[in-house]
Amino acid sequence: MKIKYIAVALLTLASIGCKDDFLTAVPETALSSATFFKTEADFVQAVNGAYVPFRQMYNERAWVLEEMHSDNTYYARNTLYGAVDATENVADFAIPVGTGDGGAKVTANDNVLVQYRLNYVVIARANQILSLIDGITFSSDAVKNNLKGQAQFLRAFAYFDLVRLFGKVPLHLPPVTGRQDAPAELATTDQLYAQIEKDATDASKNLLNKKSQEPGRVTSGAAKTLLANLYLTQKKWSQVETLMKDVVTNDGYSLMPDYNDAFSYTNTNKNNPESVFEIQYMEGSAGYNGNQIYRFLPSPITADEIKPITGTSNPQPTSQESNNIPTPDLIAAYEAGDKRKDISIGTVTLSTSLRANKVYPYIKKYARTHALHNNTGQNWPVYRYAEVLLFLAEALNEQGKTADAATYLNQVRARAGLAATKASSQADMREAIFKERRVELAFENKRWFDLTRTGRVKEIITAYGARVKASPADYYFPAGAVPPPNAFTNLDDYYPLPAVESALTPYF
């Protein structure tokens, strides 16, 4: 997908109304919604721009809020580097919480703020497209519908991320025209769910399927999977079953025979047959690259220690504090003989580490070799066909169709080199699917949402936090270092809203 940056003036499209006609004249020398959106090519460019914030989101913040904020990954404390409070607080379930002028819980945590704002950039761009696209003549209805469907999907996806993170957020659909209509009341969770359902349903009808769609753009299968994810969260099991059977039967996806090939390399294997939706990156100097693996690698690491992992021609040491480090809990969750374990998790010995045990795990499935230090191009998987199968298995089991659920669960297990599940009761199958999701989708930002939608945050995180505090050395702390006193004290299902945003609205 050729993603182009769109000027900020175009994508915010702010124009403040006035009673005097001569003051409301559209400036012809500046980009605005009235001067830019004239042709099919303009909408193609605008839709491209609506995807752009996802690159920063998945490179920098989503994994902090949705993976480190669980029992799957933690940070490796480097006392020589100093504290990295904003990220540590998320991993430690110790985010500082205050109260906004409107009475809502708020936080100054920067990860929360950036994730919130990036989602609304996507929404603002999609809103502008959807407000104007029907007024333009296209070369064909199919082209228009495909672009419209992409904007509908992207808006639905951004709101789905927001509602799962915060529970209640403002619901903007018409484009914001100025500061006077920028503040909005917090929509209820049900109101947000209803809008997500509408957009995802419409997108599933407007979008092309994987076979016909340009690689990298969202498809009808991606929209159906997003909609099924919403229904799964709402426990609407029969709707999940219908959608996922449709995807399995008609949308042309398949499991890659080798789990390692389910994930892209830095220049190849992108948008493969298992990929339902992935965030697009491109190695090189164009500005579309990522560097996730460098954010995840344990540190301090020498050039000689990093070179076998990244394969670059100019390996350089790093000394920052390390994040998204696989926990002993996750490592122990893999069954004996599970091929996914060695594909997903590697180990490295850090000669300059202050820990007595200098061996650290790292996320190996994103450690693809590339040319230059800190510049990678592998895509980030958001939805894979393996998750479609697990969605379907869960929906079937929750309707009492446990034997049918095993059929789809076992497809995922067979690729991992594992025997068919022994779960036969509904309760045992529920737990088997929950555990399978953990190892199959490890490091794909699924774990936190699995904990919240199943109501298991307090059960699982309380026990996990007790283990961290009882044995800090097992969780990568050097001698004498321990988690902060307030660690694992904030076990709410939702994050507080950004405090910076609360200062701009009376509704928080």
Side-chain angles (χ1 to χ4, degrees), residues 183-440:
E185 293 186 15
L186 296 175
T188 67
T189 301
D190 286 342
Q191 288 172 328
L192 293 162
Y193 283 163
Q195 183 59 46
I196 295 162
E197 180 178 18
K198 181 181 185 304
D199 275 343
T201 300
D202 291 344
S204 71
K205 298 172 183 176
N206 285 327
L207 287 165
L208 300 173
N209 62 23
K210 186 176 179 72
K211 180 179 178 181
S212 304
Q213 186 65 287
E214 179 184 346
R217 295 185 181 273
V218 292
T219 63
S220 57
K224 285 181 275 190
T225 303
L226 170 60
L227 185 56
N229 202 351
L230 170 66
Y231 288 149
L232 197 83
T233 304
Q234 297 175 296
K235 297 179 169 47
K236 295 181 177 180
W237 307 115
S238 63
Q239 289 96 318
V240 177
E241 177 187 354
T242 299
L243 284 164
M244 295 297 85
K245 281 187 173 177
D246 183 18
V247 171
V248 168
T249 303
N250 300 314
D251 283 358
Y253 299 102
S254 61
L255 293 176
M256 299 293 282
D258 186 337
Y259 181 76
N260 190 52
D261 291 334
F263 311 99
S264 89
Y265 294 84
T266 197
N267 290 309
T268 60
N269 196 40
K270 299 186 176 188
N271 308 300
N272 59 55
E274 186 166 339
S275 171
V276 177
F277 176 42
E278 58 190 52
I279 307 303
Q280 309 292 303
Y281 294 91
M282 184 173 71
E283 183 179 0
S285 59
Y288 307 144
N289 61 290
N291 66 352
Q292 297 99 331
I293 187 59
Y294 291 93
R295 297 172 183 269
F296 300 167
L297 280 176
S299 192
I301 190 169
T302 67
D304 287 341
E305 291 162 355
I306 201 174
K307 185 173 183 178
I309 297 172
T310 61
T312 61
S313 60
N314 64 332
Q316 299 174 29
T318 67
S319 60
Q320 78 273 3
E321 185 149 296
S322 310
N323 297 305
N324 225 22
I325 306 300
T327 61
D329 311 64
L330 173 62
I331 295 169
Y334 289 88
E335 298 173 42
D338 191 331
K339 297 177 181 178
R340 294 170 296 196
K341 182 178 180 180
D342 288 341
I343 292 169
S344 299
I345 301 171
T347 58
V348 60
T349 300
L350 305 186
S351 59
T352 57
S353 169
L354 296 182
R355 285 183 72 221
N357 180 356
K358 299 179 182 296
V359 179
Y360 291 78
Y362 69 91
I363 301 176
K364 185 179 176 182
K365 75 182 185 184
Y366 295 140
R368 304 301 199 180
T369 57
H370 47 280
L372 297 177
H373 181 84
N374 210 35
N375 188 312
T376 62
Q378 70 267 24
N379 290 351
W380 185 281
V382 177
Y383 287 124
R384 295 189 286 113
Y385 184 63
E387 189 167 20
V388 169
L389 297 174
L390 293 173
F391 278 173
L392 182 51
E394 186 171 348
L396 289 166
N397 184 60
E398 294 300 330
Q399 296 175 85
K401 305 173 185 177
T402 299
D404 293 340
T407 300
Y408 298 99
L409 174 61
N410 287 335
Q411 289 183 42
V412 176
R413 289 178 59 82
R415 180 178 62 175
L418 299 175
T421 181
K422 295 180 180 179
S424 56
S425 70
Q426 185 184 49
D428 287 347
M429 181 61 74
R430 182 181 296 124
E431 189 65 17
I433 294 168
F434 184 72
K435 290 179 177 178
E436 199 70 34
R437 285 184 58 84
R438 187 181 191 187
V439 292
E440 172 67 30

Side-chain angles (χ1 to χ4, degrees), residues 42 114 118 135 138 143 148 150 170 215 221 231 265 317 348 389 426 494:
D42 296 338
V114 175
L118 287 172
F138 279 68
V143 172
K148 188 174 183 179
Q150 290 176 68
Y231 288 149
Y265 294 84
V348 60
L389 297 174
Q426 185 184 49
Y494 294 118

Side-chain angles (χ1 to χ4, degrees), residues 4 77 102 121 161 180 213 215 226 248 250 378-379 441 460:
K4 302 175 182 177
R77 187 77 176 93
V121 173
D161 193 55
Q180 75 279 4
Q213 186 65 287
L226 170 60
V248 168
N250 300 314
Q378 70 267 24
N379 290 351
L441 305 171
I460 289 176

